[in-house]
Amino acid sequence: MKVAVFSARPYDRRSLDEANQQRGSGPAFEFQYYDATLDVHTVTLAQDCDAVCVFVNDRLDAPVLQALHAMGVRAVLLRCAGFNNVDLASAEGLGFFVARVPAYSPEAVAEHTLALIMTLNRQTHRAYNRVREGNFMLEGLLGRTLHGKTAGIVGTGKIGLATARILHGMGCTVLGHDPYPSPDFVGLGQFVPLQELLARSDIVSLHCPLTADTRHLINDDSLTLMKHGAMLVNTSRGGLVDTDAVIRALKSRQLGHLAIDVYEQESALFFQDRSGQIIDDDVFQRLMTFPNVLVTGHQGFFTAEALQEIAETTLGNLAHFAAGTDCPNKVAKA
Ligand code: NAI
């Protein structure tokens, strides 16, 4: 069984090859790796393959799915949890097997969330540069003791809960908001309406999925409701935040700090080396000018443990497809 792996970085190749070697019996899987992102221009790379294996910024819209189907591809294996980049109605109409990795080390993303909060609060990124230049002045590096502060978790699913556990352990008062409150949150914090969470929190951390309802959840109105000078953290999906509104709130000093691992227009930038090129995205570049903004390029998931889980689950999904057996990670149109 041949699989065309798109958006394949060296670490993807290593983890998939390792998981493939460690497989026991069953049909042989052959991976063809491509750096390219899957779209209408690159789809022909999947010629002669039975399946494609894709990541967050590969586009599986109707024309791509039709082209894949015409060349005999029958399965889409997502190396991620989200499937907002797949036209599920078209996939279902064409009879595609679509499967994802529903969970991989939620603690990995929660720990990265903490890394962003701690870095921004104590300015360790600036301290690192200063000390290397022989500048040991502290002016400008003043942080706040997080113990006793209030942290609001929007979305108390797997990652939100893992983040709440860490913040609770640090002595923060934890607030949560979720339309489907998890009983596991009891003992860690208190569920409150979103407006109250925004008004009371020194740190607001987003962990809900991107849907039509949550798009631009953080906008001019919600930013106004936030505590003056609070920190906003987004390690979930870029579309949850109206970036123009956030820039206005940073300029007015209403928003004190912004830490993001995701960005609404990230597909044109993230997972690529653009260091020698001119970046045309003026909104992103404006964000880069604020000393109180910290951006990482969608690396919350990026731990050895999570990569291994992703590879093993993806191969498991592929084995179900090959054997024609029931796959628990199959994605179906709602
Ligand atoms: P999950 O499905 O376990 O939890 C999501 C929670 O959000 C659920 O409890 C759901 O009820 C809640 N929710 C839905 N609508 C909401 C709303 N309007 N307001 C508040 N809560 C709402 O998902 P998980 O695994 O915790 O992942 C959360 C998000 O993290 C994913 O949607 C994904 O976008 C993002 N993610 C980011 C990664 C990164 O590398 N930065 C890696 C993996 C996931």
PDB file of all heavy atoms in Angstrom, residues 132-165:
ATOM      1  N   ARG A 132      23.710  37.828  27.045  1.00  0.00           N
ATOM      2  CA  ARG A 132      24.710  37.439  26.036  1.00  0.00           C
ATOM      3  C   ARG A 132      25.463  38.634  25.502  1.00  0.00           C
ATOM      4  O   ARG A 132      26.572  38.506  24.979  1.00  0.00           O
ATOM      5  CB  ARG A 132      24.026  36.680  24.882  1.00  0.00           C
ATOM      6  CG  ARG A 132      23.620  35.290  25.296  1.00  0.00           C
ATOM      7  CD  ARG A 132      22.910  34.565  24.190  1.00  0.00           C
ATOM      8  NE  ARG A 132      23.838  34.074  23.179  1.00  0.00           N
ATOM      9  CZ  ARG A 132      24.391  32.863  23.205  1.00  0.00           C
ATOM     10  NH1 ARG A 132      24.104  32.023  24.164  1.00  0.00           N
ATOM     11  NH2 ARG A 132      25.222  32.485  22.269  1.00  0.00           N
ATOM     12  N   GLU A 133      24.836  39.821  25.602  1.00  0.00           N
ATOM     13  CA  GLU A 133      25.530  41.042  25.172  1.00  0.00           C
ATOM     14  C   GLU A 133      26.227  41.741  26.325  1.00  0.00           C
ATOM     15  O   GLU A 133      26.683  42.878  26.189  1.00  0.00           O
ATOM     16  CB  GLU A 133      24.513  41.996  24.520  1.00  0.00           C
ATOM     17  CG  GLU A 133      24.078  41.521  23.148  1.00  0.00           C
ATOM     18  CD  GLU A 133      23.117  42.488  22.485  1.00  0.00           C
ATOM     19  OE1 GLU A 133      22.901  43.592  23.020  1.00  0.00           O
ATOM     20  OE2 GLU A 133      22.596  42.117  21.425  1.00  0.00           O
ATOM     21  N   GLY A 134      26.258  41.098  27.477  1.00  0.00           N
ATOM     22  CA  GLY A 134      26.930  41.690  28.639  1.00  0.00           C
ATOM     23  C   GLY A 134      26.112  42.769  29.317  1.00  0.00           C
ATOM     24  O   GLY A 134      26.644  43.584  30.077  1.00  0.00           O
ATOM     25  N   ASN A 135      24.808  42.804  29.069  1.00  0.00           N
ATOM     26  CA  ASN A 135      23.935  43.793  29.701  1.00  0.00           C
ATOM     27  C   ASN A 135      23.161  43.103  30.818  1.00  0.00           C
ATOM     28  O   ASN A 135      22.278  42.281  30.562  1.00  0.00           O
ATOM     29  CB  ASN A 135      22.973  44.372  28.652  1.00  0.00           C
ATOM     30  CG  ASN A 135      21.963  45.342  29.254  1.00  0.00           C
ATOM     31  OD1 ASN A 135      21.956  45.561  30.461  1.00  0.00           O
ATOM     32  ND2 ASN A 135      21.125  45.905  28.420  1.00  0.00           N
ATOM     33  N   PHE A 136      23.503  43.460  32.064  1.00  0.00           N
ATOM     34  CA  PHE A 136      22.882  42.796  33.209  1.00  0.00           C
ATOM     35  C   PHE A 136      21.866  43.691  33.925  1.00  0.00           C
ATOM     36  O   PHE A 136      21.471  43.421  35.039  1.00  0.00           O
ATOM     37  CB  PHE A 136      23.970  42.303  34.184  1.00  0.00           C
ATOM     38  CG  PHE A 136      24.965  41.391  33.511  1.00  0.00           C
ATOM     39  CD1 PHE A 136      26.200  41.875  33.071  1.00  0.00           C
ATOM     40  CD2 PHE A 136      24.661  40.058  33.274  1.00  0.00           C
ATOM     41  CE1 PHE A 136      27.106  41.048  32.422  1.00  0.00           C
ATOM     42  CE2 PHE A 136      25.558  39.230  32.632  1.00  0.00           C
ATOM     43  CZ  PHE A 136      26.782  39.715  32.190  1.00  0.00           C
ATOM     44  N   MET A 137      21.427  44.773  33.237  1.00  0.00           N
ATOM     45  CA  MET A 137      20.404  45.657  33.796  1.00  0.00           C
ATOM     46  C   MET A 137      19.065  44.920  33.871  1.00  0.00           C
ATOM     47  O   MET A 137      18.736  44.139  32.992  1.00  0.00           O
ATOM     48  CB  MET A 137      20.219  46.887  32.892  1.00  0.00           C
ATOM     49  CG  MET A 137      21.356  47.881  32.939  1.00  0.00           C
ATOM     50  SD  MET A 137      21.359  48.815  34.466  1.00  0.00           S
ATOM     51  CE  MET A 137      19.892  49.830  34.229  1.00  0.00           C
ATOM     52  N   LEU A 138      18.295  45.228  34.909  1.00  0.00           N
ATOM     53  CA  LEU A 138      16.988  44.591  35.069  1.00  0.00           C
ATOM     54  C   LEU A 138      15.835  45.462  34.571  1.00  0.00           C
ATOM     55  O   LEU A 138      14.721  44.962  34.362  1.00  0.00           O
ATOM     56  CB  LEU A 138      16.740  44.240  36.542  1.00  0.00           C
ATOM     57  CG  LEU A 138      17.710  43.235  37.159  1.00  0.00           C
ATOM     58  CD1 LEU A 138      17.308  42.929  38.598  1.00  0.00           C
ATOM     59  CD2 LEU A 138      17.768  41.945  36.353  1.00  0.00           C
ATOM     60  N   GLU A 139      16.095  46.753  34.414  1.00  0.00           N
ATOM     61  CA  GLU A 139      15.025  47.662  33.984  1.00  0.00           C
ATOM     62  C   GLU A 139      14.341  47.120  32.713  1.00  0.00           C
ATOM     63  O   GLU A 139      15.011  46.736  31.761  1.00  0.00           O
ATOM     64  CB  GLU A 139      15.636  49.055  33.706  1.00  0.00           C
ATOM     65  CG  GLU A 139      14.640  50.144  33.398  1.00  0.00           C
ATOM     66  CD  GLU A 139      13.631  50.387  34.527  1.00  0.00           C
ATOM     67  OE1 GLU A 139      13.991  50.197  35.701  1.00  0.00           O
ATOM     68  OE2 GLU A 139      12.482  50.737  34.211  1.00  0.00           O
ATOM     69  N   GLY A 140      13.019  47.066  32.733  1.00  0.00           N
ATOM     70  CA  GLY A 140      12.289  46.560  31.561  1.00  0.00           C
ATOM     71  C   GLY A 140      11.964  45.086  31.642  1.00  0.00           C
ATOM     72  O   GLY A 140      11.255  44.562  30.780  1.00  0.00           O
ATOM     73  N   LEU A 141      12.493  44.402  32.647  1.00  0.00           N
ATOM     74  CA  LEU A 141      12.239  42.952  32.750  1.00  0.00           C
ATOM     75  C   LEU A 141      11.266  42.618  33.873  1.00  0.00           C
ATOM     76  O   LEU A 141      11.075  41.434  34.194  1.00  0.00           O
ATOM     77  CB  LEU A 141      13.563  42.199  32.993  1.00  0.00           C
ATOM     78  CG  LEU A 141      14.670  42.382  31.948  1.00  0.00           C
ATOM     79  CD1 LEU A 141      15.887  41.528  32.313  1.00  0.00           C
ATOM     80  CD2 LEU A 141      14.171  42.007  30.560  1.00  0.00           C
ATOM     81  N   LEU A 142      10.631  43.636  34.451  1.00  0.00           N
ATOM     82  CA  LEU A 142       9.773  43.406  35.604  1.00  0.00           C
ATOM     83  C   LEU A 142       8.578  42.518  35.244  1.00  0.00           C
ATOM     84  O   LEU A 142       7.833  42.810  34.300  1.00  0.00           O
ATOM     85  CB  LEU A 142       9.257  44.754  36.142  1.00  0.00           C
ATOM     86  CG  LEU A 142       8.519  44.718  37.476  1.00  0.00           C
ATOM     87  CD1 LEU A 142       9.466  44.307  38.612  1.00  0.00           C
ATOM     88  CD2 LEU A 142       7.890  46.078  37.774  1.00  0.00           C
ATOM     89  N   GLY A 143       8.422  41.432  36.000  1.00  0.00           N
ATOM     90  CA  GLY A 143       7.272  40.546  35.785  1.00  0.00           C
ATOM     91  C   GLY A 143       6.310  40.642  36.947  1.00  0.00           C
ATOM     92  O   GLY A 143       6.401  41.557  37.772  1.00  0.00           O
ATOM     93  N   ARG A 144       5.360  39.679  36.981  1.00  0.00           N
ATOM     94  CA  ARG A 144       4.419  39.628  38.102  1.00  0.00           C
ATOM     95  C   ARG A 144       4.421  38.198  38.648  1.00  0.00           C
ATOM     96  O   ARG A 144       4.561  37.236  37.874  1.00  0.00           O
ATOM     97  CB  ARG A 144       3.020  40.024  37.642  1.00  0.00           C
ATOM     98  CG  ARG A 144       2.976  41.440  37.089  1.00  0.00           C
ATOM     99  CD  ARG A 144       1.576  41.838  36.690  1.00  0.00           C
ATOM    100  NE  ARG A 144       0.782  42.144  37.878  1.00  0.00           N
ATOM    101  CZ  ARG A 144      -0.550  42.239  37.869  1.00  0.00           C
ATOM    102  NH1 ARG A 144      -1.214  42.039  36.759  1.00  0.00           N
ATOM    103  NH2 ARG A 144      -1.210  42.530  38.977  1.00  0.00           N
ATOM    104  N   THR A 145       4.291  38.073  39.970  1.00  0.00           N
ATOM    105  CA  THR A 145       4.237  36.739  40.577  1.00  0.00           C
ATOM    106  C   THR A 145       2.905  36.097  40.169  1.00  0.00           C
ATOM    107  O   THR A 145       1.846  36.679  40.404  1.00  0.00           O
ATOM    108  CB  THR A 145       4.319  36.856  42.116  1.00  0.00           C
ATOM    109  OG1 THR A 145       5.503  37.580  42.432  1.00  0.00           O
ATOM    110  CG2 THR A 145       4.357  35.492  42.771  1.00  0.00           C
ATOM    111  N   LEU A 146       2.970  34.941  39.539  1.00  0.00           N
ATOM    112  CA  LEU A 146       1.733  34.322  39.044  1.00  0.00           C
ATOM    113  C   LEU A 146       0.918  33.667  40.168  1.00  0.00           C
ATOM    114  O   LEU A 146      -0.304  33.568  40.072  1.00  0.00           O
ATOM    115  CB  LEU A 146       2.047  33.296  37.959  1.00  0.00           C
ATOM    116  CG  LEU A 146       2.539  33.903  36.639  1.00  0.00           C
ATOM    117  CD1 LEU A 146       2.777  32.799  35.610  1.00  0.00           C
ATOM    118  CD2 LEU A 146       1.558  34.915  36.078  1.00  0.00           C
ATOM    119  N   HIS A 147       1.604  33.233  41.206  1.00  0.00           N
ATOM    120  CA  HIS A 147       0.920  32.662  42.364  1.00  0.00           C
ATOM    121  C   HIS A 147      -0.133  33.665  42.842  1.00  0.00           C
ATOM    122  O   HIS A 147       0.181  34.828  43.060  1.00  0.00           O
ATOM    123  CB  HIS A 147       1.938  32.370  43.475  1.00  0.00           C
ATOM    124  CG  HIS A 147       1.339  31.721  44.674  1.00  0.00           C
ATOM    125  ND1 HIS A 147       1.365  30.365  44.881  1.00  0.00           N
ATOM    126  CD2 HIS A 147       0.671  32.255  45.722  1.00  0.00           C
ATOM    127  CE1 HIS A 147       0.741  30.081  46.002  1.00  0.00           C
ATOM    128  NE2 HIS A 147       0.318  31.213  46.538  1.00  0.00           N
ATOM    129  N   GLY A 148      -1.369  33.216  42.961  1.00  0.00           N
ATOM    130  CA  GLY A 148      -2.430  34.102  43.439  1.00  0.00           C
ATOM    131  C   GLY A 148      -3.158  34.868  42.343  1.00  0.00           C
ATOM    132  O   GLY A 148      -4.176  35.508  42.595  1.00  0.00           O
ATOM    133  N   LYS A 149      -2.632  34.799  41.112  1.00  0.00           N
ATOM    134  CA  LYS A 149      -3.331  35.489  40.004  1.00  0.00           C
ATOM    135  C   LYS A 149      -4.478  34.600  39.484  1.00  0.00           C
ATOM    136  O   LYS A 149      -4.537  33.410  39.776  1.00  0.00           O
ATOM    137  CB  LYS A 149      -2.348  35.788  38.859  1.00  0.00           C
ATOM    138  CG  LYS A 149      -1.257  36.770  39.243  1.00  0.00           C
ATOM    139  CD  LYS A 149      -1.796  38.157  39.524  1.00  0.00           C
ATOM    140  CE  LYS A 149      -0.701  39.128  39.943  1.00  0.00           C
ATOM    141  NZ  LYS A 149      -0.002  38.773  41.165  1.00  0.00           N
ATOM    142  N   THR A 150      -5.344  35.195  38.675  1.00  0.00           N
ATOM    143  CA  THR A 150      -6.493  34.454  38.144  1.00  0.00           C
ATOM    144  C   THR A 150      -6.259  34.135  36.665  1.00  0.00           C
ATOM    145  O   THR A 150      -5.921  35.034  35.881  1.00  0.00           O
ATOM    146  CB  THR A 150      -7.775  35.294  38.321  1.00  0.00           C
ATOM    147  OG1 THR A 150      -7.947  35.539  39.717  1.00  0.00           O
ATOM    148  CG2 THR A 150      -8.997  34.561  37.789  1.00  0.00           C
ATOM    149  N   ALA A 151      -6.426  32.860  36.338  1.00  0.00           N
ATOM    150  CA  ALA A 151      -6.250  32.415  34.943  1.00  0.00           C
ATOM    151  C   ALA A 151      -7.573  31.869  34.427  1.00  0.00           C
ATOM    152  O   ALA A 151      -8.205  31.037  35.093  1.00  0.00           O
ATOM    153  CB  ALA A 151      -5.174  31.344  34.862  1.00  0.00           C
ATOM    154  N   GLY A 152      -7.999  32.313  33.259  1.00  0.00           N
ATOM    155  CA  GLY A 152      -9.259  31.858  32.669  1.00  0.00           C
ATOM    156  C   GLY A 152      -8.994  30.918  31.507  1.00  0.00           C
ATOM    157  O   GLY A 152      -8.240  31.256  30.581  1.00  0.00           O
ATOM    158  N   ILE A 153      -9.614  29.735  31.548  1.00  0.00           N
ATOM    159  CA  ILE A 153      -9.419  28.717  30.502  1.00  0.00           C
ATOM    160  C   ILE A 153     -10.697  28.646  29.664  1.00  0.00           C
ATOM    161  O   ILE A 153     -11.755  28.251  30.171  1.00  0.00           O
ATOM    162  CB  ILE A 153      -9.157  27.324  31.137  1.00  0.00           C
ATOM    163  CG1 ILE A 153      -8.019  27.383  32.158  1.00  0.00           C
ATOM    164  CG2 ILE A 153      -8.910  26.270  30.077  1.00  0.00           C
ATOM    165  CD1 ILE A 153      -6.646  27.570  31.582  1.00  0.00           C
ATOM    166  N   VAL A 154     -10.590  29.012  28.404  1.00  0.00           N
ATOM    167  CA  VAL A 154     -11.765  28.970  27.513  1.00  0.00           C
ATOM    168  C   VAL A 154     -11.694  27.654  26.731  1.00  0.00           C
ATOM    169  O   VAL A 154     -10.854  27.506  25.842  1.00  0.00           O
ATOM    170  CB  VAL A 154     -11.777  30.186  26.562  1.00  0.00           C
ATOM    171  CG1 VAL A 154     -13.023  30.140  25.671  1.00  0.00           C
ATOM    172  CG2 VAL A 154     -11.734  31.494  27.346  1.00  0.00           C
ATOM    173  N   GLY A 155     -12.521  26.694  27.118  1.00  0.00           N
ATOM    174  CA  GLY A 155     -12.467  25.352  26.521  1.00  0.00           C
ATOM    175  C   GLY A 155     -11.728  24.420  27.453  1.00  0.00           C
ATOM    176  O   GLY A 155     -10.498  24.419  27.485  1.00  0.00           O
ATOM    177  N   THR A 156     -12.522  23.644  28.243  1.00  0.00           N
ATOM    178  CA  THR A 156     -11.878  22.770  29.239  1.00  0.00           C
ATOM    179  C   THR A 156     -11.901  21.323  28.759  1.00  0.00           C
ATOM    180  O   THR A 156     -12.329  20.424  29.476  1.00  0.00           O
ATOM    181  CB  THR A 156     -12.578  22.901  30.607  1.00  0.00           C
ATOM    182  OG1 THR A 156     -13.984  22.634  30.398  1.00  0.00           O
ATOM    183  CG2 THR A 156     -12.409  24.284  31.190  1.00  0.00           C
ATOM    184  N   GLY A 157     -11.454  21.121  27.516  1.00  0.00           N
ATOM    185  CA  GLY A 157     -11.284  19.769  26.978  1.00  0.00           C
ATOM    186  C   GLY A 157      -9.933  19.232  27.433  1.00  0.00           C
ATOM    187  O   GLY A 157      -9.417  19.613  28.488  1.00  0.00           O
ATOM    188  N   LYS A 158      -9.331  18.370  26.598  1.00  0.00           N
ATOM    189  CA  LYS A 158      -8.103  17.697  27.014  1.00  0.00           C
ATOM    190  C   LYS A 158      -6.969  18.688  27.314  1.00  0.00           C
ATOM    191  O   LYS A 158      -6.310  18.612  28.339  1.00  0.00           O
ATOM    192  CB  LYS A 158      -7.680  16.703  25.920  1.00  0.00           C
ATOM    193  CG  LYS A 158      -8.629  15.520  25.794  1.00  0.00           C
ATOM    194  CD  LYS A 158      -8.244  14.581  24.676  1.00  0.00           C
ATOM    195  CE  LYS A 158      -8.584  15.075  23.290  1.00  0.00           C
ATOM    196  NZ  LYS A 158      -9.999  15.269  22.984  1.00  0.00           N
ATOM    197  N   ILE A 159      -6.751  19.627  26.383  1.00  0.00           N
ATOM    198  CA  ILE A 159      -5.619  20.569  26.553  1.00  0.00           C
ATOM    199  C   ILE A 159      -5.950  21.620  27.615  1.00  0.00           C
ATOM    200  O   ILE A 159      -5.105  21.960  28.452  1.00  0.00           O
ATOM    201  CB  ILE A 159      -5.256  21.223  25.199  1.00  0.00           C
ATOM    202  CG1 ILE A 159      -4.760  20.144  24.222  1.00  0.00           C
ATOM    203  CG2 ILE A 159      -4.188  22.299  25.383  1.00  0.00           C
ATOM    204  CD1 ILE A 159      -4.599  20.616  22.782  1.00  0.00           C
ATOM    205  N   GLY A 160      -7.201  22.110  27.600  1.00  0.00           N
ATOM    206  CA  GLY A 160      -7.609  23.089  28.604  1.00  0.00           C
ATOM    207  C   GLY A 160      -7.467  22.530  30.015  1.00  0.00           C
ATOM    208  O   GLY A 160      -6.978  23.211  30.926  1.00  0.00           O
ATOM    209  N   LEU A 161      -7.859  21.265  30.188  1.00  0.00           N
ATOM    210  CA  LEU A 161      -7.739  20.637  31.510  1.00  0.00           C
ATOM    211  C   LEU A 161      -6.279  20.498  31.924  1.00  0.00           C
ATOM    212  O   LEU A 161      -5.923  20.767  33.077  1.00  0.00           O
ATOM    213  CB  LEU A 161      -8.379  19.243  31.495  1.00  0.00           C
ATOM    214  CG  LEU A 161      -9.891  19.159  31.706  1.00  0.00           C
ATOM    215  CD1 LEU A 161     -10.358  17.719  31.523  1.00  0.00           C
ATOM    216  CD2 LEU A 161     -10.280  19.678  33.088  1.00  0.00           C
ATOM    217  N   ALA A 162      -5.442  20.073  30.978  1.00  0.00           N
ATOM    218  CA  ALA A 162      -4.005  19.913  31.294  1.00  0.00           C
ATOM    219  C   ALA A 162      -3.405  21.265  31.683  1.00  0.00           C
ATOM    220  O   ALA A 162      -2.584  21.354  32.611  1.00  0.00           O
ATOM    221  CB  ALA A 162      -3.272  19.314  30.089  1.00  0.00           C
ATOM    222  N   THR A 163      -3.831  22.325  31.008  1.00  0.00           N
ATOM    223  CA  THR A 163      -3.331  23.675  31.333  1.00  0.00           C
ATOM    224  C   THR A 163      -3.846  24.101  32.708  1.00  0.00           C
ATOM    225  O   THR A 163      -3.103  24.674  33.520  1.00  0.00           O
ATOM    226  CB  THR A 163      -3.786  24.680  30.249  1.00  0.00           C
ATOM    227  OG1 THR A 163      -3.424  24.167  28.971  1.00  0.00           O
ATOM    228  CG2 THR A 163      -3.154  26.046  30.448  1.00  0.00           C
ATOM    229  N   ALA A 164      -5.134  23.815  32.971  1.00  0.00           N
ATOM    230  CA  ALA A 164      -5.733  24.174  34.262  1.00  0.00           C
ATOM    231  C   ALA A 164      -4.995  23.477  35.405  1.00  0.00           C
ATOM    232  O   ALA A 164      -4.738  24.080  36.450  1.00  0.00           O
ATOM    233  CB  ALA A 164      -7.208  23.789  34.269  1.00  0.00           C
ATOM    234  N   ARG A 165      -4.635  22.200  35.197  1.00  0.00           N
ATOM    235  CA  ARG A 165      -3.924  21.454  36.246  1.00  0.00           C
ATOM    236  C   ARG A 165      -2.599  22.137  36.585  1.00  0.00           C
ATOM    237  O   ARG A 165      -2.246  22.291  37.745  1.00  0.00           O
ATOM    238  CB  ARG A 165      -3.630  20.020  35.760  1.00  0.00           C
ATOM    239  CG  ARG A 165      -4.724  19.048  36.117  1.00  0.00           C
ATOM    240  CD  ARG A 165      -4.342  17.619  35.717  1.00  0.00           C
ATOM    241  NE  ARG A 165      -5.501  17.030  35.080  1.00  0.00           N
ATOM    242  CZ  ARG A 165      -5.606  16.709  33.798  1.00  0.00           C
ATOM    243  NH1 ARG A 165      -4.585  16.862  32.986  1.00  0.00           N
ATOM    244  NH2 ARG A 165      -6.714  16.217  33.315  1.00  0.00           N
TER     245      ARG A 165
END
